[in-house]
Amino acid sequence: MADKNINENIIENVPEDTSKDSTNDTTSNTSATTIDDSLTKLTSKLQTINTLREELIKLELNPEGRLYFNNDIVPLLTILYQLATTSVDLSTSANILSSSYLIKPNKSKLKDTFRLIYDMNEQCDDVYKLLEKKIEVLINIYCKS
């Protein structure tokens, strides 16, 4: 977009020959027309180059890496996020219930909740270890291309 504005400014700011010599009039008109044609062609080529550059940027040069990321890593990240969020929420709730003076805590249910939190944290560790291996594979995919 900036290149287009620069190109338009170049075309608009081309000085016109204002000499009054009649022999130079035909020469200057021909040269001005030639310069205008050249600038128009140059502008067209620059726009084409910019369009090609934008299209190259849009291309995914490594679709294998994108597919691997979407199919193998994103689901693990989602699982890890949901497990961690649920574990934190349960921990906060259990902590509030155990320290509340308004509600009589049921110690056996709180112990079950804390066991569940520990189990979820172990699952988070397992998912994280698997995710580390998957990320190494992804790095290798991008390094070989």
Side-chain angles (χ1 to χ4, degrees):
M1 189 68 167
D3 294 332
K4 185 176 181 182
N5 292 337
I6 291 170
N7 296 337
E8 291 172 356
N9 288 337
I10 290 171
I11 291 171
E12 291 174 0
N13 294 326
V14 172
E16 295 181 13
D17 190 9
T18 58
S19 64
K20 299 290 182 189
D21 188 10
S22 64
T23 58
N24 286 340
D25 279 345
T26 57
T27 308
S28 66
N29 286 340
T30 306
S31 66
T33 305
T34 306
I35 291 173
D36 286 342
D37 290 342
S38 297
L39 287 174
T40 304
K41 288 178 184 176
L42 179 63
T43 303
S44 173
K45 288 180 182 180
L46 284 173
Q47 288 173 346
T48 304
I49 289 171
N50 285 333
T51 303
L52 288 172
R53 182 177 53 94
E54 290 172 7
E55 292 301 317
L56 279 173
I57 290 171
K58 290 178 188 177
L59 283 178
E60 291 182 26
L61 298 178
N62 191 347
E64 180 186 2
R66 172 64 73 186
L67 287 173
Y68 183 81
F69 179 80
N70 287 338
N71 293 334
D72 292 333
I73 293 182
V74 170
L76 289 174
L77 286 173
T78 304
I79 290 169
L80 184 63
Y81 174 76
Q82 289 175 346
L83 281 172
T85 303
T86 305
S87 175
V88 167
D89 290 345
L90 281 174
S91 174
T92 303
S93 299
N95 193 18
I96 290 171
L97 287 174
S98 67
S99 63
S100 174
Y101 62 90
L102 297 174
I103 301 171
K104 183 179 178 188
N106 187 342
K107 302 241 183 219
S108 64
K109 292 198 180 202
L110 286 177
K111 285 182 184 178
D112 291 341
T113 304
F114 284 121
R115 267 192 230 109
L116 177 63
I117 293 168
Y118 283 117
D119 290 342
M120 291 176 78
N121 288 341
E122 287 176 14
Q123 289 175 351
C124 284
D125 288 339
D126 294 340
V127 171
Y128 182 76
K129 289 175 187 172
L130 181 60
L131 192 57
E132 281 182 323
K133 293 176 185 175
K134 298 282 186 177
I135 290 173
E136 286 178 19
V137 172
L138 181 67
I139 290 171
N140 290 333
I141 288 172
Y142 277 106
C143 287
K144 75 177 182 180
S145 61

